[in-house]
Amino acid sequence: MSGPYLVFILFLTILFIVIATAKFKLHPFLALIFASYFLAFAAFMPSDKIAGIITQGFGNTLTSIGIVIIAGVIIGTILEKSGAAITMAETVIKFVGEKRPTIAMSIIGYIVSIPVFCDSGFIILSSLNKALAKKTKTSLVAMSIALSTGLYAAHVLVPPTPGPIAVASNLQLNNLLLVILIGLLVAIPAMIAGNIFANKVASKYQANIDESISYEEVLKKYGKLPDAWKSFAPIVVPIILMALGSIAKFPGEPFGEGFFYKLFVFLGTPVNALLIGMFFAFLLLPNLSSETLNSWIVEAIKDSATILIITGAGGSLGNVIKEIGVGDYLGQTLSGLNLGMFLPFIIAAAIKTAQGSSTVSLITTSALMLPLLPSLGFTSDIAKALVVAAIGAGAMTVSHANDSYFWVVSQFGGIDVKTAYKTQTVATLIMGIVAIITVFILSLFLI
């Protein structure tokens, strides 16, 4: 098939995904699988090979990240239900001080959203947010936007949140520590931009819900909270282990070639590191009962199943794109435009804005980008990690009425729809732009 024809059917495939998920509310898994078959048939791929290529893409993706995603979701669920997320919030407030409430909420969101989904994180912390707003006499709208943007920054950029893990897998990047470090770095300016916007713009608006809950009442609701070290350990320990695993592989062999080298390489493998983090999360369980071991864990596994099947379907689409060869033509064409890191950002932002789901945007864009990487010159691990961040920046641009997170923030933050467009939507636009500029600047020095 000619290059222009392949690009045309690829465009139709992406358009189908957007319309199917946004207008007809088709589940992303089905949309991605149907899109994979459509693209394969439209490209006149041999019919006896289509099923094998689609299932191969699905299986290969889950082989690399399936356990990592499940462990990450279990960690997030336990942090949420045990009250550890509130402990982390308390720790940040003590460190930052109650005189800087919006900064405290931004940092709290940034930390909590690393293992916890942003919409769940906002719901968990909404009572604390309202109480702190009342105690410090700060606009609840400003507090809510500070919290929501802090949560959003890490949600699309930093593993073990499943989205960035799926993107790294689709781009065939196994260095998860590098993705975490780049994600943490890029998320900071985005979080700061969201905080400045909250203070300068969102603070001019007032919430339309009762703010009578007190700070003390919020803490009483959770009873005895877990210790700070137990709360942070499930996040911090895996990162430390992955760091030690990477250091062990440095030239010069800092840990030698024997026992310690093998130990740190084993512990620093992402699957092993996240499983160890999961065991640290088990220390947060209030007791070993059917509720905690069955109910909490089963809920986490159900949540992870949705992410797994969508991610696997994205792998199927990516494998079809790779097999039909459209990447070579598209890569050569686009490389002449010198868009660089802005290309994955633009694609992800267009898909995100059109259909609302950051997850669909992350997975679809990464599936599309894999065959383009060589022609764009993004073949090293550091270049791929920056592409992951560029896609994440696009996947937060923008949150509006077709995004479930938009409604979580507006409803739990007491923000009417008109005001939410002026605050949440504009804030996520600014965050996405700041994030991609940060990625671009990093690419100038690191690639």
Side-chain angles (χ1 to χ4, degrees):
M1 295 296 100
S2 66
Y5 172 75
L6 291 175
V7 172
F8 174 69
I9 61 173
L10 180 60
F11 171 77
L12 290 181
T13 302
I14 296 171
L15 186 63
F16 165 77
I17 294 170
V18 170
I19 294 174
T21 54
K23 183 175 179 59
F24 297 104
K25 309 300 180 185
L26 187 66
H27 193 280
F29 166 73
L30 293 177
L32 289 165
I33 288 295
F34 292 161
S36 300
Y37 274 97
F38 168 78
L39 183 60
F41 279 114
F44 298 100
M45 185 180 288
S47 59
D48 59 334
K49 293 184 178 180
I50 291 176
I53 289 170
I54 288 174
T55 54
Q56 181 186 47
F58 189 94
N60 288 348
T61 300
L62 295 190
T63 296
S64 61
I65 62 164
I67 296 175
V68 172
I69 287 178
I70 294 170
V73 175
I74 290 175
I75 290 171
T77 301
I78 294 175
L79 289 177
E80 171 188 336
K81 293 185 174 297
S82 66
I86 299 296
T87 296
M88 288 190 276
E90 272 274 275
T91 305
V92 171
I93 290 170
K94 288 176 183 176
F95 178 76
V96 175
E98 293 181 7
K99 293 182 179 179
R100 302 179 182 89
T102 58
I103 294 176
M105 295 315 297
S106 291
I107 296 173
I108 288 166
Y110 176 89
I111 295 172
V112 169
S113 194
I114 292 173
V116 178
F117 289 99
C118 60
D119 48 359
S120 297
F122 194 92
I123 294 169
I124 296 164
L125 297 168
S126 62
S127 296
L128 182 69
N129 187 47
K130 294 169 191 173
L132 191 59
K134 178 187 177 184
K135 189 173 184 178
T136 59
K137 295 180 172 59
T138 306
S139 163
L140 179 56
V141 176
M143 294 285 283
S144 295
I145 297 303
L147 175 59
S148 76
T149 51
L151 287 162
Y152 214 30
H155 174 72
V156 295
L157 290 168
V158 187
T161 305
I165 296 176
V167 174
S169 174
N170 282 346
L171 297 181
Q172 298 179 358
L173 173 59
N174 297 320
N175 192 338
L176 197 59
L177 176 65
L178 191 58
V179 179
I180 291 172
L181 295 177
I182 293 293
L184 287 169
L185 187 59
V186 173
I188 290 173
M191 176 194 69
I192 293 172
N195 182 267
I196 292 172
F197 181 85
N199 286 323
K200 300 294 184 182
V201 179
S203 60
K204 297 176 182 178
Y205 300 95
Q206 293 300 317
N208 55 14
I209 61 174
D210 180 25
E211 303 172 24
S212 60
I213 188 170
S214 72
Y215 188 74
E216 290 72 21
E217 287 172 334
V218 171
L219 300 183
K220 281 182 182 179
K221 186 175 73 172
Y222 285 91
K224 182 175 173 57
L225 294 172
D227 297 333
W229 77 269
K230 284 185 179 180
S231 301
F232 282 96
I235 306 173
V236 175
V237 169
I239 294 175
I240 293 174
L241 292 176
M242 284 187 276
L244 290 172
S246 295
I247 293 170
K249 298 177 185 177
F250 281 177
E253 300 167 340
F255 296 122
E257 298 180 354
F259 172 77
F260 286 106
Y261 169 81
K262 294 178 181 178
L263 176 66
F264 289 130
V265 168
F266 173 78
L267 296 178
T269 302
V271 172
N272 298 333
L274 264 294
L275 286 174
I276 291 169
M278 183 182 71
F279 285 118
F280 272 93
F282 287 160
L283 298 176
L284 294 166
L285 297 175
N287 53 67
L288 298 179
S289 65
S290 60
E291 179 187 358
T292 56
L293 287 178
N294 290 334
S295 178
W296 291 12
I297 304 304
V298 167
E299 181 178 332
I301 291 173
K302 286 180 179 178
D303 290 342
S304 64
T306 301
I307 301 297
L308 288 171
I309 63 171
I310 295 173
T311 302
S316 296
L317 177 61
N319 209 30
V320 173
I321 292 173
K322 176 184 174 183
E323 289 294 326
I324 65 176
V326 66
D328 294 334
Y329 173 80
L330 199 55
Q332 292 171 4
T333 304
L334 294 173
S335 61
L337 300 177
N338 295 317
L339 293 174
M341 287 293 167
F342 289 97
L343 176 62
F345 168 79
I346 292 169
I347 296 171
I351 296 174
K352 162 64 179 177
T353 303
Q355 54 79 48
S357 170
S358 293
T359 302
V360 172
S361 174
L362 289 165
I363 291 171
T364 305
T365 305
S366 56
L368 178 62
M369 284 302 302
L370 176 61
L372 306 184
L373 295 180
S375 55
L376 294 173
F378 301 147
T379 55
S380 66
D381 279 2
I382 188 68
K384 288 183 178 180
L386 287 168
V387 172
V388 173
I391 294 172
M396 72 170 74
T397 315
V398 295
S399 175
H400 63 98
N402 62 2
D403 179 8
S404 61
Y405 188 52
F406 174 88
W407 296 106
V408 168
V409 173
S410 61
Q411 290 173 15
F412 284 86
I415 308 173
D416 62 72
V417 175
K418 184 178 179 181
T419 303
Y421 269 108
K422 295 178 181 178
T423 53
Q424 173 71 3
T425 301
V426 176
T428 54
L429 172 62
I430 292 171
M431 288 176 68
I433 293 171
V434 169
I436 189 55
I437 290 173
T438 304
V439 172
F440 173 71
I441 293 171
L442 289 174
S443 70
L444 297 177
F445 293 96
L446 298 178
I447 300 179

